[in-house]
Amino acid sequence: HHLQSRSSLERILDSMLDDEYRTCIASVSTARYLCENIEALPLSAQTRILDTNDYLMLLVPLVEEPPWTRRRSISSDGKNSVCWEKFVDNEWEKIDPADLLQITKCEAQPWLSIFHLTCSNTCREQYGLNSFRKSQLLRLRKYLNDMILDQLPVLAEVMRYMDQLVLMEAPESSTGQGKALLMQQVDVLREEVAKHRNWDQVARKQFQYIFSKVTDAKD
């Protein structure tokens, strides 16, 4: 009854949130592919991953507060119960509490990214490890248990790296260990076209003059 009483706007907003969530999930997989092949990327792309955007620091919260696992309260016959769900194959599936430590594809993506970023010689040489980054990475150590290692054996290398990290002295601040001067290609034409644009206004005009006139029959 509640679903039927919802307005069209509410349904559209829910659909937008759902699309945004699925896009974010896909971006984590894309990030994993980039980390896996980081040695083949240009130096400027490596710098963006390791320093500018600092993928490692972005991955820590994905392990601590996984967005692909949720707990829901269900009311039935006047009784409240709790169920766990995981996002599997683009759908939410109910999970038995005993199976919560079974790793899904979504859960494996950040761990595999962390493996490539901490165990690659290229990353170790270029990553500017400081005391803050060290403390953040060591927060993941407690999640590397036997159940996880049995499912993702490569994480044994990550655990070994973190054990070494405990003994390492990290400087208070570091901006990376790369070259002082980094030459980087810039898309001049794209920069000229994109700058000083009001993208909200562009989107409204496109909707008004293009997409509002397109129907499923005409698409």
Side-chain angles (χ1 to χ4, degrees):
H1 177 71
H2 174 68
L3 292 176
Q4 294 177 349
S5 64
R6 297 168 68 207
S7 67
S8 298
L9 179 59
E10 288 176 325
R11 289 195 292 269
I12 291 173
L13 290 175
D14 277 353
S15 178
M16 288 175 59
L17 288 174
D18 186 62
D19 290 341
E20 183 178 356
Y21 175 79
R22 292 171 189 271
T23 301
C24 292
I25 295 294
S27 71
V28 177
S29 299
T30 303
R32 196 269 290 179
Y33 286 119
L34 290 173
C35 296
E36 184 177 351
N37 297 283
I38 190 169
E39 295 183 2
L41 297 176
L43 181 58
S44 59
Q46 294 178 9
T47 303
R48 289 182 180 275
I49 290 174
L50 296 172
D51 191 56
T52 307
N53 297 311
D54 202 348
Y55 275 26
L56 268 175
M57 294 299 99
L58 295 176
L59 292 165
V60 172
L62 292 181
V63 174
E64 294 185 317
E65 298 290 341
W68 27 74
T69 301
R70 67 185 184 186
R71 185 175 63 177
R72 297 179 60 200
S73 297
I74 300 176
S75 297
S76 179
D77 299 328
K79 297 181 179 180
N80 293 328
S81 61
V82 174
C83 77
W84 288 91
E85 295 179 340
K86 286 190 176 186
F87 197 70
V88 180
D89 295 331
N90 288 322
E91 298 293 340
W92 286 102
E93 290 187 6
K94 186 176 179 180
I95 301 294
D96 190 279
D99 296 328
L100 282 174
L101 290 181
Q102 294 295 324
I103 297 179
T104 63
K105 290 180 182 179
C106 289
E107 290 170 317
Q109 300 302 320
W111 277 120
L112 292 174
S113 297
I114 291 167
F115 163 71
H116 291 296
L117 293 177
T118 56
C119 298
S120 160
N121 288 332
T122 298
C123 296
R124 289 192 182 188
E125 292 171 0
Q126 295 189 30
Y127 191 60
L129 189 67
N130 55 37
S131 58
F132 172 76
R133 287 172 170 174
K134 173 184 174 180
S135 65
Q136 294 300 299
L137 286 173
L138 289 177
R139 285 162 55 179
L140 300 177
R141 180 61 178 83
K142 61 178 177 284
Y143 298 101
L144 294 171
N145 52 53
D146 291 340
M147 180 74 78
I148 299 294
L149 296 179
D150 286 344
Q151 297 173 79
L152 291 174
V154 295
L155 295 185
E157 291 294 324
V158 178
M159 185 169 66
R160 192 172 297 113
Y161 169 76
M162 291 192 177
D163 289 341
Q164 295 171 355
L165 196 60
V166 173
L167 304 176
M168 290 173 56
E169 288 292 335
E172 285 299 317
S173 62
S174 176
T175 56
Q177 301 170 357
K179 302 293 183 183
L181 177 63
L182 176 64
M183 302 299 291
Q184 180 175 333
Q185 289 183 328
V186 177
D187 297 324
V188 179
L189 181 60
R190 181 184 181 278
E191 291 290 327
E192 287 296 322
V193 172
K195 70 179 181 180
H196 306 311
R197 292 280 182 177
N198 186 333
W199 293 110
D200 286 339
Q201 187 178 23
V202 171
R204 290 191 186 96
K205 285 187 176 179
Q206 287 182 337
F207 179 78
Q208 181 179 357
Y209 296 109
I210 301 175
F211 297 109
S212 63
K213 300 178 181 179
V214 176
T215 63
D216 290 340
K218 296 179 181 179
D219 191 4

